[in-house]
Amino acid sequence: MRRILITGAAGQIGSELTPALRAAFGADNVLATDLRADLDKSCGGGPTAVLDCGDGQALAALVERHRADTIYHLAALLSAVAERRPQDAWRVNMGCLVTVLEVARQKGCAVFHPSSIGAFGPTTPRDRTPQDTIQRPTSMYGVTKVAGELLCDYYHLRYGVDVRGVRFPGIISNVAPPGGGTTDYAVDIYYQAVAHGRYTCYLKPGTFLDMMYMPDALRAAIEVMEADPKRLVHRNAFNVAAMSFAPEDIAAAIRKRLPDFTMDHTVDPVRQAIADSWPRSMDDSAARVEWGWKPRFDLEAMTDDMLRVLTERKRRGELRVG
Ligand code: SER
């Protein structure tokens, strides 16, 4: 049975991956860590610790105390925040990653590291983006993601660290908000639709991006770590895809269920430029062949589920809209 330490456990992915890993491996086998002290509330039963994962000594001490053999390293700044604070983004996204990899090397841990569609750039083929292709991103987020992919490969090749990962598309979820990404609109639109029946989108119509519903993202993160290493030709940064849509497509899917819903656009040039430099859809055949990746949610199934959950939350008076 794995003994897991998660960094960034209170974030968008962590707050759902923590309970998923606890369900799969046993609550006591999963130590949730985050900078935030209110961690206990966000990740249910099981051990927690406040941790700055850039502090290698503190991380190593927790790995030892918990007898962790696997680190899910989720702490990172997303693309729009990274563009506002590029130096912080380098410090957090790269500094923490190298610290985690060093601790993993010294303590013999496996590592999961999420990369992103952000690892691609304007010279990358944008449709059916191949697994192995040009990666010259123009955002700081993208720079840290490509560098992170390479660093993970290096730690595997040089030191044999079992580090694996996927390139996540935009992730849509209804537990913790993403906070500071370019794809966040596809989360916010559901909250605003349920709360107010209208949404102002910061991306232009026609801006296609790859997206994925959280339950699929959680499965991808768990399944890639459980994959038979003998089948892996790639190791880090597997393209994983589920659906590709533009703002008007998600608005239309919502309108089918909430006919009065309306959307307009006030374009944010920073996030629009980032989105325009990312793939419209990724080819995830390497993940499908090498470890059996297959998404379960498309736009329709995701919209049914998001609206069901958020409507129920509104009925109970528990819908919090930013
Ligand atoms: N969802 C992320 C972002 O928009 C991309 O990985 O920054």
Side-chain angles (χ1 to χ4, degrees):
M1 193 58 94
R2 282 189 192 271
R3 299 273 302 173
I4 297 170
L5 183 150
I6 307 179
T7 72
Q12 185 202 15
I13 299 177
S15 58
E16 294 188 59
L17 188 57
T18 302
L21 288 170
R22 285 181 168 160
F25 298 103
D28 289 343
N29 288 327
V30 179
L31 172 63
T33 76
D34 200 283
L35 269 179
R36 286 166 50 171
D38 61 350
L39 191 56
D40 288 351
K41 273 188 257 143
S42 51
C43 50
T48 62
V50 175
L51 173 72
D52 172 356
C53 58
D55 179 344
Q57 278 188 345
L59 175 60
L62 280 179
V63 164
E64 261 180 41
R65 193 176 339 139
H66 182 62
R67 290 178 286 109
D69 55 32
T70 304
I71 302 173
Y72 272 77
H73 176 48
L74 305 177
L77 297 190
L78 290 183
S79 58
V81 176
E83 225 32 48
R84 276 202 305 277
R85 296 160 40 201
Q87 294 78 10
D88 283 344
W90 181 265
R91 189 179 51 74
V92 174
N93 293 10
M94 291 311 297
C96 293
L97 177 60
V98 77
T99 301
V100 165
L101 289 169
E102 266 303 289
V103 170
R105 176 178 76 82
Q106 290 158 14
K107 306 287 176 194
C109 295
V111 177
F112 172 81
H113 173 250
S115 187
S116 159
I117 50 174
F120 298 113
T123 49
T124 302
R126 295 190 65 203
D127 297 300
R128 299 284 300 157
T129 301
Q131 174 68 40
D132 302 306
T133 187
I134 300 164
Q135 290 183 261
R136 306 289 295 174
T138 45
S139 68
M140 180 48 110
Y141 180 71
V143 169
T144 66
K145 286 297 171 186
V146 179
E149 290 180 4
L150 294 173
L151 192 64
C152 289
D153 280 345
Y154 183 81
Y155 267 73
H156 174 64
L157 290 170
R158 176 74 197 266
Y159 300 117
V161 175
D162 184 8
V163 48
R164 307 181 189 184
V166 298
R167 291 185 184 124
F168 277 131
I171 296 176
I172 291 136
S173 63
N174 53 52
V175 175
T182 298
T183 57
D184 297 10
Y185 90 85
V187 178
D188 207 23
I189 192 171
Y190 287 112
Y191 280 81
Q192 298 292 340
V194 171
H196 306 301
R198 61 178 184 279
Y199 179 62
T200 299
C201 184
Y202 54 77
L203 296 181
K204 284 195 277 215
T207 309
F208 281 84
L209 288 169
D210 256 316
M211 300 279 182
M212 182 178 286
Y213 197 32
M214 183 63 96
D216 279 336
L218 302 179
R219 272 195 315 106
I222 294 172
E223 287 175 9
V224 72
M225 293 305 287
E226 298 308 316
D228 177 356
K230 290 197 286 296
R231 285 180 64 196
L232 299 183
V233 179
H234 300 85
R235 173 160 285 271
N236 286 293
F238 280 98
N239 286 0
V240 286
M243 60 188 102
S244 167
F245 56 74
E248 61 274 26
D249 300 320
I250 187 169
I254 292 172
R255 207 169 294 119
K256 268 197 226 167
R257 291 143 179 102
L258 302 173
D260 295 335
F261 174 68
T262 59
M263 179 174 73
D264 58 8
H265 299 262
T266 302
V267 172
D268 168 9
V270 173
R271 284 179 287 190
Q272 185 67 48
I274 293 174
D276 288 341
S277 75
W278 285 357
R280 284 187 282 253
S281 68
M282 283 189 292
D283 174 357
D284 61 359
S285 48
R288 287 174 187 254
V289 170
E290 292 175 39
W291 49 277
W293 161 247
K294 199 169 187 296
R296 293 185 186 152
F297 284 87
D298 61 11
L299 177 57
E300 296 299 329
M302 176 177 76
T303 302
D304 278 339
D305 203 52
M306 281 295 283
L307 293 180
R308 181 184 58 75
V309 170
L310 297 180
T311 305
E312 174 57 21
R313 210 175 285 162
K314 182 180 178 189
R315 198 186 58 74
R316 293 199 308 263
E318 292 167 3
L319 185 69
R320 280 187 295 278
V321 180

PDB file of all heavy atoms in Angstrom, residues 12 77-80 115-118 141 145 168-171 178 180-184 274 278, ligand 1:
ATOM      1  N   GLN A  12      -7.095  23.598  -5.879  1.00  0.00           N
ATOM      2  CA  GLN A  12      -8.223  23.103  -6.674  1.00  0.00           C
ATOM      3  C   GLN A  12      -8.149  21.583  -6.860  1.00  0.00           C
ATOM      4  O   GLN A  12      -9.125  20.876  -6.626  1.00  0.00           O
ATOM      5  CB  GLN A  12      -8.254  23.776  -8.052  1.00  0.00           C
ATOM      6  CG  GLN A  12      -9.487  23.384  -8.868  1.00  0.00           C
ATOM      7  CD  GLN A  12      -9.320  23.581 -10.372  1.00  0.00           C
ATOM      8  OE1 GLN A  12      -8.224  23.755 -10.867  1.00  0.00           O
ATOM      9  NE2 GLN A  12     -10.425  23.575 -11.086  1.00  0.00           N
ATOM     10  N   LEU A  77       1.680  27.998  -8.831  1.00  0.00           N
ATOM     11  CA  LEU A  77       0.878  29.158  -9.244  1.00  0.00           C
ATOM     12  C   LEU A  77       0.344  28.890 -10.646  1.00  0.00           C
ATOM     13  O   LEU A  77       1.055  28.364 -11.501  1.00  0.00           O
ATOM     14  CB  LEU A  77       1.726  30.430  -9.279  1.00  0.00           C
ATOM     15  CG  LEU A  77       2.344  30.912  -7.960  1.00  0.00           C
ATOM     16  CD1 LEU A  77       2.934  32.313  -8.148  1.00  0.00           C
ATOM     17  CD2 LEU A  77       1.338  30.927  -6.831  1.00  0.00           C
ATOM     18  N   LEU A  78      -0.899  29.272 -10.895  1.00  0.00           N
ATOM     19  CA  LEU A  78      -1.497  29.094 -12.227  1.00  0.00           C
ATOM     20  C   LEU A  78      -1.115  30.249 -13.158  1.00  0.00           C
ATOM     21  O   LEU A  78      -0.465  31.212 -12.765  1.00  0.00           O
ATOM     22  CB  LEU A  78      -3.010  28.945 -12.113  1.00  0.00           C
ATOM     23  CG  LEU A  78      -3.501  27.637 -11.483  1.00  0.00           C
ATOM     24  CD1 LEU A  78      -5.026  27.585 -11.485  1.00  0.00           C
ATOM     25  CD2 LEU A  78      -2.957  26.414 -12.206  1.00  0.00           C
ATOM     26  N   SER A  79      -1.566  30.130 -14.403  1.00  0.00           N
ATOM     27  CA  SER A  79      -0.993  30.946 -15.486  1.00  0.00           C
ATOM     28  C   SER A  79      -1.199  32.454 -15.360  1.00  0.00           C
ATOM     29  O   SER A  79      -0.275  33.230 -15.615  1.00  0.00           O
ATOM     30  CB  SER A  79      -1.559  30.472 -16.821  1.00  0.00           C
ATOM     31  OG  SER A  79      -2.966  30.551 -16.812  1.00  0.00           O
ATOM     32  N   ALA A  80      -2.415  32.892 -14.987  1.00  0.00           N
ATOM     33  CA  ALA A  80      -2.652  34.341 -14.969  1.00  0.00           C
ATOM     34  C   ALA A  80      -1.914  34.989 -13.799  1.00  0.00           C
ATOM     35  O   ALA A  80      -1.320  36.069 -13.933  1.00  0.00           O
ATOM     36  CB  ALA A  80      -4.152  34.631 -14.893  1.00  0.00           C
ATOM     37  N   SER A 115       1.978  18.596 -15.277  1.00  0.00           N
ATOM     38  CA  SER A 115       2.266  19.643 -16.251  1.00  0.00           C
ATOM     39  C   SER A 115       0.928  20.101 -16.827  1.00  0.00           C
ATOM     40  O   SER A 115      -0.122  19.844 -16.224  1.00  0.00           O
ATOM     41  CB  SER A 115       3.234  19.162 -17.319  1.00  0.00           C
ATOM     42  OG  SER A 115       3.617  20.265 -18.138  1.00  0.00           O
ATOM     43  N   SER A 116       0.956  20.764 -17.956  1.00  0.00           N
ATOM     44  CA  SER A 116      -0.243  21.497 -18.395  1.00  0.00           C
ATOM     45  C   SER A 116      -0.211  21.759 -19.896  1.00  0.00           C
ATOM     46  O   SER A 116       0.868  21.752 -20.515  1.00  0.00           O
ATOM     47  CB  SER A 116      -0.254  22.827 -17.635  1.00  0.00           C
ATOM     48  OG  SER A 116      -1.041  23.789 -18.290  1.00  0.00           O
ATOM     49  N   ILE A 117      -1.398  22.048 -20.449  1.00  0.00           N
ATOM     50  CA  ILE A 117      -1.450  22.587 -21.819  1.00  0.00           C
ATOM     51  C   ILE A 117      -0.597  23.851 -21.924  1.00  0.00           C
ATOM     52  O   ILE A 117      -0.168  24.223 -23.008  1.00  0.00           O
ATOM     53  CB  ILE A 117      -2.889  22.923 -22.260  1.00  0.00           C
ATOM     54  CG1 ILE A 117      -3.632  23.780 -21.221  1.00  0.00           C
ATOM     55  CG2 ILE A 117      -3.667  21.659 -22.573  1.00  0.00           C
ATOM     56  CD1 ILE A 117      -5.012  24.269 -21.683  1.00  0.00           C
ATOM     57  N   GLY A 118      -0.342  24.490 -20.787  1.00  0.00           N
ATOM     58  CA  GLY A 118       0.483  25.698 -20.771  1.00  0.00           C
ATOM     59  C   GLY A 118       1.928  25.443 -21.164  1.00  0.00           C
ATOM     60  O   GLY A 118       2.683  26.385 -21.416  1.00  0.00           O
ATOM     61  N   TYR A 141       4.242  30.840 -16.753  1.00  0.00           N
ATOM     62  CA  TYR A 141       3.681  29.552 -16.335  1.00  0.00           C
ATOM     63  C   TYR A 141       4.195  28.445 -17.257  1.00  0.00           C
ATOM     64  O   TYR A 141       4.662  27.394 -16.802  1.00  0.00           O
ATOM     65  CB  TYR A 141       2.157  29.646 -16.393  1.00  0.00           C
ATOM     66  CG  TYR A 141       1.422  28.411 -15.982  1.00  0.00           C
ATOM     67  CD1 TYR A 141       1.385  27.999 -14.661  1.00  0.00           C
ATOM     68  CD2 TYR A 141       0.716  27.657 -16.921  1.00  0.00           C
ATOM     69  CE1 TYR A 141       0.672  26.870 -14.283  1.00  0.00           C
ATOM     70  CE2 TYR A 141       0.000  26.532 -16.549  1.00  0.00           C
ATOM     71  CZ  TYR A 141      -0.022  26.148 -15.230  1.00  0.00           C
ATOM     72  OH  TYR A 141      -0.731  25.034 -14.852  1.00  0.00           O
ATOM     73  N   LYS A 145       6.509  25.152 -16.655  1.00  0.00           N
ATOM     74  CA  LYS A 145       5.980  23.810 -16.913  1.00  0.00           C
ATOM     75  C   LYS A 145       6.920  23.009 -17.820  1.00  0.00           C
ATOM     76  O   LYS A 145       7.164  21.828 -17.577  1.00  0.00           O
ATOM     77  CB  LYS A 145       4.562  23.884 -17.496  1.00  0.00           C
ATOM     78  CG  LYS A 145       3.513  24.258 -16.466  1.00  0.00           C
ATOM     79  CD  LYS A 145       3.413  23.218 -15.357  1.00  0.00           C
ATOM     80  CE  LYS A 145       2.532  23.650 -14.202  1.00  0.00           C
ATOM     81  NZ  LYS A 145       2.561  22.697 -13.068  1.00  0.00           N
ATOM     82  N   PHE A 168      -2.199  18.401 -17.853  1.00  0.00           N
ATOM     83  CA  PHE A 168      -3.624  18.614 -17.655  1.00  0.00           C
ATOM     84  C   PHE A 168      -4.142  19.710 -18.574  1.00  0.00           C
ATOM     85  O   PHE A 168      -3.478  20.738 -18.767  1.00  0.00           O
ATOM     86  CB  PHE A 168      -3.915  19.036 -16.217  1.00  0.00           C
ATOM     87  CG  PHE A 168      -4.010  17.901 -15.238  1.00  0.00           C
ATOM     88  CD1 PHE A 168      -3.308  17.944 -14.051  1.00  0.00           C
ATOM     89  CD2 PHE A 168      -4.819  16.798 -15.492  1.00  0.00           C
ATOM     90  CE1 PHE A 168      -3.401  16.915 -13.132  1.00  0.00           C
ATOM     91  CE2 PHE A 168      -4.919  15.751 -14.582  1.00  0.00           C
ATOM     92  CZ  PHE A 168      -4.206  15.813 -13.398  1.00  0.00           C
ATOM     93  N   PRO A 169      -5.354  19.535 -19.092  1.00  0.00           N
ATOM     94  CA  PRO A 169      -6.060  20.660 -19.717  1.00  0.00           C
ATOM     95  C   PRO A 169      -6.645  21.543 -18.614  1.00  0.00           C
ATOM     96  O   PRO A 169      -6.372  21.303 -17.427  1.00  0.00           O
ATOM     97  CB  PRO A 169      -7.185  19.969 -20.494  1.00  0.00           C
ATOM     98  CG  PRO A 169      -7.072  18.512 -20.244  1.00  0.00           C
ATOM     99  CD  PRO A 169      -6.128  18.300 -19.116  1.00  0.00           C
ATOM    100  N   GLY A 170      -7.457  22.522 -18.960  1.00  0.00           N
ATOM    101  CA  GLY A 170      -8.193  23.261 -17.948  1.00  0.00           C
ATOM    102  C   GLY A 170      -9.072  22.293 -17.175  1.00  0.00           C
ATOM    103  O   GLY A 170      -9.712  21.436 -17.777  1.00  0.00           O
ATOM    104  N   ILE A 171      -9.089  22.422 -15.850  1.00  0.00           N
ATOM    105  CA  ILE A 171      -9.873  21.477 -15.042  1.00  0.00           C
ATOM    106  C   ILE A 171     -11.093  22.174 -14.459  1.00  0.00           C
ATOM    107  O   ILE A 171     -10.986  23.255 -13.872  1.00  0.00           O
ATOM    108  CB  ILE A 171      -9.007  20.868 -13.924  1.00  0.00           C
ATOM    109  CG1 ILE A 171      -7.880  20.043 -14.559  1.00  0.00           C
ATOM    110  CG2 ILE A 171      -9.848  19.983 -13.017  1.00  0.00           C
ATOM    111  CD1 ILE A 171      -6.906  19.485 -13.561  1.00  0.00           C
ATOM    112  N   PRO A 178     -10.316  27.329  -8.776  1.00  0.00           N
ATOM    113  CA  PRO A 178      -8.956  27.210  -9.279  1.00  0.00           C
ATOM    114  C   PRO A 178      -8.060  28.381  -8.857  1.00  0.00           C
ATOM    115  O   PRO A 178      -6.980  28.174  -8.325  1.00  0.00           O
ATOM    116  CB  PRO A 178      -9.122  27.157 -10.794  1.00  0.00           C
ATOM    117  CG  PRO A 178     -10.519  27.573 -11.087  1.00  0.00           C
ATOM    118  CD  PRO A 178     -11.303  27.442  -9.843  1.00  0.00           C
ATOM    119  N   GLY A 180      -6.761  32.011 -10.468  1.00  0.00           N
ATOM    120  CA  GLY A 180      -5.642  32.584 -11.195  1.00  0.00           C
ATOM    121  C   GLY A 180      -5.213  31.863 -12.446  1.00  0.00           C
ATOM    122  O   GLY A 180      -4.103  32.062 -12.928  1.00  0.00           O
ATOM    123  N   GLY A 181      -6.076  31.027 -13.014  1.00  0.00           N
ATOM    124  CA  GLY A 181      -5.738  30.360 -14.267  1.00  0.00           C
ATOM    125  C   GLY A 181      -6.423  31.026 -15.448  1.00  0.00           C
ATOM    126  O   GLY A 181      -7.321  31.859 -15.282  1.00  0.00           O
ATOM    127  N   THR A 182      -6.005  30.614 -16.651  1.00  0.00           N
ATOM    128  CA  THR A 182      -6.610  31.136 -17.878  1.00  0.00           C
ATOM    129  C   THR A 182      -7.897  30.382 -18.208  1.00  0.00           C
ATOM    130  O   THR A 182      -8.806  30.916 -18.841  1.00  0.00           O
ATOM    131  CB  THR A 182      -5.586  31.010 -19.031  1.00  0.00           C
ATOM    132  OG1 THR A 182      -4.464  31.806 -18.675  1.00  0.00           O
ATOM    133  CG2 THR A 182      -6.148  31.468 -20.354  1.00  0.00           C
ATOM    134  N   THR A 183      -7.971  29.126 -17.758  1.00  0.00           N
ATOM    135  CA  THR A 183      -9.145  28.311 -18.066  1.00  0.00           C
ATOM    136  C   THR A 183     -10.241  28.426 -16.997  1.00  0.00           C
ATOM    137  O   THR A 183     -11.268  27.753 -17.099  1.00  0.00           O
ATOM    138  CB  THR A 183      -8.730  26.831 -18.212  1.00  0.00           C
ATOM    139  OG1 THR A 183      -8.077  26.423 -17.009  1.00  0.00           O
ATOM    140  CG2 THR A 183      -7.786  26.625 -19.387  1.00  0.00           C
ATOM    141  N   ASP A 184     -10.038  29.275 -15.996  1.00  0.00           N
ATOM    142  CA  ASP A 184     -10.988  29.365 -14.864  1.00  0.00           C
ATOM    143  C   ASP A 184     -12.401  29.756 -15.291  1.00  0.00           C
ATOM    144  O   ASP A 184     -13.367  29.470 -14.578  1.00  0.00           O
ATOM    145  CB  ASP A 184     -10.543  30.419 -13.832  1.00  0.00           C
ATOM    146  CG  ASP A 184      -9.230  30.085 -13.173  1.00  0.00           C
ATOM    147  OD1 ASP A 184      -8.552  29.154 -13.626  1.00  0.00           O
ATOM    148  OD2 ASP A 184      -8.872  30.790 -12.216  1.00  0.00           O
ATOM    149  N   ILE A 274      -2.647  34.444 -23.500  1.00  0.00           N
ATOM    150  CA  ILE A 274      -2.197  33.121 -23.033  1.00  0.00           C
ATOM    151  C   ILE A 274      -3.014  32.031 -23.739  1.00  0.00           C
ATOM    152  O   ILE A 274      -2.459  31.079 -24.305  1.00  0.00           O
ATOM    153  CB  ILE A 274      -2.336  33.004 -21.500  1.00  0.00           C
ATOM    154  CG1 ILE A 274      -1.365  33.948 -20.785  1.00  0.00           C
ATOM    155  CG2 ILE A 274      -2.088  31.556 -21.048  1.00  0.00           C
ATOM    156  CD1 ILE A 274      -1.532  34.005 -19.263  1.00  0.00           C
ATOM    157  N   TRP A 278      -2.091  28.548 -26.582  1.00  0.00           N
ATOM    158  CA  TRP A 278      -2.212  27.160 -26.110  1.00  0.00           C
ATOM    159  C   TRP A 278      -2.912  26.291 -27.149  1.00  0.00           C
ATOM    160  O   TRP A 278      -3.629  26.799 -28.020  1.00  0.00           O
ATOM    161  CB  TRP A 278      -3.006  27.127 -24.803  1.00  0.00           C
ATOM    162  CG  TRP A 278      -2.224  27.607 -23.616  1.00  0.00           C
ATOM    163  CD1 TRP A 278      -0.913  27.994 -23.579  1.00  0.00           C
ATOM    164  CD2 TRP A 278      -2.717  27.752 -22.272  1.00  0.00           C
ATOM    165  NE1 TRP A 278      -0.571  28.365 -22.309  1.00  0.00           N
ATOM    166  CE2 TRP A 278      -1.642  28.224 -21.484  1.00  0.00           C
ATOM    167  CE3 TRP A 278      -3.945  27.527 -21.657  1.00  0.00           C
ATOM    168  CZ2 TRP A 278      -1.771  28.474 -20.119  1.00  0.00           C
ATOM    169  CZ3 TRP A 278      -4.076  27.771 -20.298  1.00  0.00           C
ATOM    170  CH2 TRP A 278      -2.997  28.243 -19.549  1.00  0.00           C
TER     171      TRP A 278
HETATM  172  N1  SER B   1      -5.702  25.649 -15.830  1.00  0.00           N
HETATM  173  C1  SER B   1      -4.370  26.157 -15.927  1.00  0.00           C
HETATM  174  C2  SER B   1      -4.368  27.623 -16.096  1.00  0.00           C
HETATM  175  O1  SER B   1      -5.275  28.135 -16.703  1.00  0.00           O
HETATM  176  C3  SER B   1      -3.640  25.539 -17.071  1.00  0.00           C
HETATM  177  O2  SER B   1      -2.948  24.436 -16.649  1.00  0.00           O
HETATM  178  O3  SER B   1      -3.448  28.234 -15.687  1.00  0.00           O
END
